[in-house]
Amino acid sequence: MTQRTRTIRNVGIVGVSTVLLAVTAPVTASVAASPSADLTWTACGGSGVDPRQQCATLQVPMDYADPDSPLIDIAVSRIPSENPEARRGTLLLIPGGPGGSSLNDPSGRGQKLPQDVLDDYDLVGFAPRGLAPSTPVDCGLDHGDLATSKLRPWPAADGSVDGNMATARRMADACAANGGELIRHLSTANEARDIDRLRAALGERKLSAWGVSYGTYVGAVYAQLFPHRTDRIVLDSNDNPDPTRVARAWLAGHEQGVEDTFPDFAAWASEPDNPDRVASRAADVRPMFLRLAARLDREPLPWPGANPEELNGNVLRQTMLDSLYSPSRYPTLARLIRAAQQGTVPPAPAAPPEAVLQNVAAVGAGTMCNDVAWPTSKAVYEKDVAESRAKYPLTAGMPRNAMPCAAWPYPPREAPVRITGRGPSGILLVQNERDVATPLSGARKLREAFGRRAVMVTVNSTGHDAYLANGNVCGDRTVSRFLATGQRPDTDTYCA
């Protein structure tokens, strides 16, 4: 199987910052077969793929509870260790999302790893169940419902959730009509089971992993379900594992995440030598942003080619949320603010192919809604949104609002996995202090749940994704040492 990659930003329903998705192309060449009979490795073609990267297909049960379940495909990739004599095992790269893929991460972020880590491990990526080129799902959503400002449930300008409840019903109905049987079997627990099938197919007794964002929850669930199959586990930018809320807790985390990170944007956006400066003082940026969003609520600006084709208050808020994922994205928000203040808009942002958006949205909805039951009462969301709007005006109530899960027709097939401290103590959490998508407050909940199994490194930095991305030298050095040698700090550590 050959894969070609496209980089898709912020298309997940909850927290994907960069999603690497792949589409299939014909097989180009054979490579030596895996020692395991379950995987036959072939060369991966396509632009941007390291020529050493190999691809294979793993078959897993669609329904682990049914011994006669049909099989589905999981697309897998790897780059073997650069020093076979020093090879320790496999480092699985677990993607964010739900709706993200790590299929080309062995060629991408994996190559940022230090040489001793590249020598120690085969780097392995995969497209989780439901995500092309694995056996895909698709809900056939309306084009307008694929807008990021629709996938995240921003309420109406007056705080009403009526439109969100209608959208939830429409999207859930579409997934039930078009998602097939597979959409009922998308869940974090099933992804963890798929990972263990992959471990076995790779011939590994134990598995090391680097999970990012939603991948931290996947990694935590894997470590809970298969504790003695874990070797060295790095969880980077960590989700709150609350088993009573699961993805509801992740969505709610955005309100604190924005409060933690917006001051950093405000300081940058008021620097005198900044060509994208929006205010003369950092203290002026927040009230200016709130005034502009309120004005765009009342008087949207036409935005041809965008989805939706207008710049309204919620599109501005969604751009703010997207831009706070990394300081490198701050100019996008600042330039949109500057344009809107003048009554203009920049060129419409490039959109991924609609088929990709449909696939990602279906995987995201299926996973979140199957993991845990969400409230179905409009009154619950009305109350929560009103409270959130009063306390966190920047996010306008969105983090506590209704998603498709409020109308999901299928009850969860199993209870959410509760993360505990039972198992080997080989887990290292790394967490930026200011993270819009997975705030420090939620990461501390995961750290607490793991108890003695984990140590957490908190990094004095801003942005989502800490290790080898938006963190700092101290944090990167600590994680690299753990992957290469197994040495962790004796206690939780702060990297200033």
Side-chain angles (χ1 to χ4, degrees), residues 28 32 45 47 59 63 76 128 169 180 203 229-230 283-284 319 329 345 365 389 394 401 412 433 442 451 469:
T28 56
S47 60
Q59 291 196 315
D63 182 356
V76 183
R169 287 191 295 273
R229 298 299 188 186
T230 61
D284 296 333
T319 304
R329 301 190 196 179
V345 292
R389 285 168 68 86
L394 285 170
N401 205 356
E433 196 167 13

Side-chain angles (χ1 to χ4, degrees), residues 359-411:
N359 185 210
V360 172
V363 172
T367 304
M368 293 188 304
C369 302
N370 292 334
D371 270 358
V372 69
W374 288 49
T376 58
S377 167
K378 185 178 78 167
V380 170
Y381 297 105
E382 287 176 330
K383 177 177 180 292
D384 286 351
V385 165
E387 291 176 354
S388 183
R389 285 168 68 86
K391 190 173 182 180
Y392 302 97
L394 285 170
T395 45
M398 181 278 291
R400 300 194 210 175
N401 205 356
M403 298 188 74
C405 310
W408 200 247
Y410 311 117

